[in-house]
Amino acid sequence: DYQAIFLTNGQVYFGKLTSKRGEFLVLTDIYYLQANKTLQSGDETEKQDLALVKLGNELHGPTDSMNINKENVLFIEDLSDTSRVVEAIRNYKAK
């Protein structure tokens, strides 16, 4: 029951869409992708690893709920149980 919310600023959040209040969507149990670039010495190839990050450990200490203005949403996708993102979320929760 996870969704991917694609925003107009290029950010994508993964979580559970719990309600639609007026002009806002409420997302909980939130995760996002973070790119970690690794430069190979002596090689011009740049490697980019993606990590799934749980919302809440950032410096500003956000709660695990987000009100998203519908005007900032490009589209919403339901994620299947076999999604690699859903699998990563399950692994995170199992720890």
Side-chain angles (χ1 to χ4, degrees):
D1 294 61
Y2 283 92
Q3 287 79 33
I5 311 292
F6 293 80
L7 303 179
T8 56
N9 66 0
Q11 183 67 47
V12 180
Y13 289 102
F14 306 98
K16 295 185 177 186
L17 192 56
T18 57
S19 71
K20 299 174 184 177
R21 287 191 237 156
E23 61 191 65
F24 291 94
L25 302 174
V26 180
L27 191 67
T28 60
D29 196 13
I30 305 165
Y31 298 82
Y32 60 93
L33 294 174
Q34 185 174 55
N36 301 312
K37 289 186 179 180
T38 304
L39 294 175
Q40 301 290 328
S41 61
D43 187 2
E44 293 181 22
T45 305
E46 224 177 76
K47 182 181 177 187
Q48 188 175 40
D49 293 322
L50 293 175
L52 192 68
V53 178
K54 175 75 172 123
L55 184 75
N57 295 322
E58 295 77 13
L59 182 63
H60 59 289
T63 62
D64 195 19
S65 180
M66 184 182 294
N67 295 312
I68 302 171
N69 190 314
K70 291 177 184 176
E71 290 182 5
N72 296 321
V73 176
L74 289 174
F75 59 95
I76 299 169
E77 291 180 334
D78 291 329
L79 301 180
S80 71
D81 288 338
T82 59
S83 160
R84 290 175 54 193
V85 170
V86 173
E87 186 178 309
I89 291 170
R90 283 192 197 120
N91 291 339
Y92 175 85
K93 288 183 170 191
K95 290 181 185 180

